[in-house]
Amino acid sequence: MSEDKKKNQIDIFKSVKSDALNELTPEILETGFDLLIESEALKDIPVFGIGFKTYSIYKKITESFFTKKLLKFLYELKDIPLSKREGFIAELESKNETEKAGEKLLVTLNRLNEVDKATIIGKLLKKAILGKITFDNFKRLTHIIDNTYLEDLESLKNNEYLRNINDDIKSNLHQVGLLNQSIKDNRKHEEYKFKQTGSREIIPATFEYKLNSYGRILIENGFD
């Protein structure tokens, strides 16, 4: 790995507090990679400091998806006052968290299999910067998002009571840490039906699912 690449890997939080984020627009998110490398709006954002023009065609193809994810992530932070972003990074620096957390965040963003996951992570970091959620919760949810199908995540949007989500998806959301699972004992229902019909029917126990605290934080902070 080149020295430039190593340097780029630890610059994500420098980018978070860059005033150049204010130049990002919805249109740039849809720009093709060949035009992005010419963009004036990106040249002052540290994480894009590598000389893209020197890349080979192969590198352009492999890096373009990563670039889109970085843009989606950073775009969510552009409207936060610069002083807030700088204060947040300064607090991380005071705890010696920026390098380790920044490298881990970049690795995660690079690994994401869906661009829209980067948007969700950006929204969550925005809420962490604004003090709406803790940075520890942000880190945990970032890990969860990385390991969850996007469609499963989106099924939770505006859906506190898990309406129209099938049990397989609920089970997946439980396994990644967004739902709590309990067992519903149906013996009372068996007795009720027996009294009503005179027929004894065995009703197996069933799983019930509810949002846990992390699922609630995601719903309240990760979507529009």
Side-chain angles (χ1 to χ4, degrees):
M1 183 180 295
S2 70
E3 290 302 313
D4 283 340
K5 187 67 173 179
K6 288 179 182 177
K7 181 178 183 299
N8 194 55
Q9 282 193 310
I10 64 173
D11 273 348
I12 188 66
F13 286 126
K14 289 183 181 178
S15 299
V16 167
K17 65 180 181 180
S18 170
D19 58 4
L21 292 192
N22 297 329
E23 303 301 319
L24 296 180
T25 64
E27 290 75 22
I28 201 171
L29 300 182
E30 306 305 323
T31 301
F33 187 68
D34 286 341
L35 295 178
L36 279 176
I37 63 176
E38 305 291 341
S39 172
E40 291 296 311
L42 298 188
K43 69 178 184 179
D44 294 325
I45 299 177
V47 77
F48 297 113
I50 288 178
F52 284 115
K53 294 179 182 179
T54 65
Y55 276 11
S56 68
I57 294 299
Y58 172 77
K59 285 182 179 178
K60 285 183 181 180
I61 292 170
T62 56
E63 294 289 343
S64 61
F65 187 44
F66 185 34
T67 300
K68 287 289 188 180
K69 289 181 287 187
L70 284 171
L71 282 172
K72 289 276 190 176
F73 166 74
L74 291 170
Y75 181 78
E76 295 301 321
L77 311 177
K78 64 185 292 292
D79 294 328
I80 304 174
L82 180 59
S83 60
K84 283 274 189 183
R85 285 183 267 141
E86 289 177 332
F88 178 78
I89 302 304
E91 184 176 353
L92 290 184
E93 288 172 344
S94 72
K95 300 175 181 177
N96 296 317
E97 286 195 51
T98 46
E99 184 170 337
K100 183 177 179 180
E103 288 179 351
K104 189 169 184 178
L105 177 56
L106 268 177
V107 167
T108 299
L109 288 170
N110 186 39
R111 190 169 54 214
L112 294 178
N113 57 5
E114 297 278 358
V115 170
D116 288 342
K117 286 185 177 182
T119 296
I120 298 173
I121 291 173
K123 290 180 186 297
L124 291 171
L125 184 60
K126 178 179 181 178
K127 294 302 178 71
I129 293 172
L130 294 174
K132 305 294 184 181
I133 67 174
T134 68
F135 189 59
D136 283 342
N137 282 341
F138 164 76
K139 290 187 291 185
R140 182 179 291 271
L141 283 167
T142 296
H143 175 76
I144 289 172
I145 290 164
D146 179 28
N147 290 283
T148 310
Y149 288 110
L150 177 63
E151 291 78 7
D152 291 359
L153 291 171
E154 291 179 334
S155 72
L156 294 176
K157 185 176 181 180
N158 298 320
N159 196 5
E160 178 181 356
Y161 299 106
L162 312 180
R163 293 181 296 272
N164 301 317
I165 301 179
N166 68 46
D167 285 344
D168 287 338
I169 292 177
K170 289 177 182 177
S171 177
N172 290 339
L173 293 171
H174 163 65
Q175 289 177 33
V176 298
L178 293 172
L179 303 183
N180 287 336
Q181 182 190 76
S182 60
I183 297 176
K184 181 181 179 182
D185 187 342
N186 289 312
R187 283 176 291 184
K188 288 184 179 179
H189 190 45
E190 288 178 10
E191 291 302 318
Y192 173 79
K193 290 193 71 174
F194 176 68
K195 291 177 181 178
Q196 295 295 314
T197 66
S199 175
R200 177 70 66 181
E201 178 184 355
I202 302 300
I203 304 176
T206 54
F207 288 120
E208 287 191 330
Y209 297 91
K210 291 183 180 180
L211 281 176
N212 61 25
S213 60
Y214 300 112
R216 198 168 300 280
I217 290 170
L218 176 65
I219 286 180
E220 293 175 356
N221 300 280
F223 303 108
D224 291 323

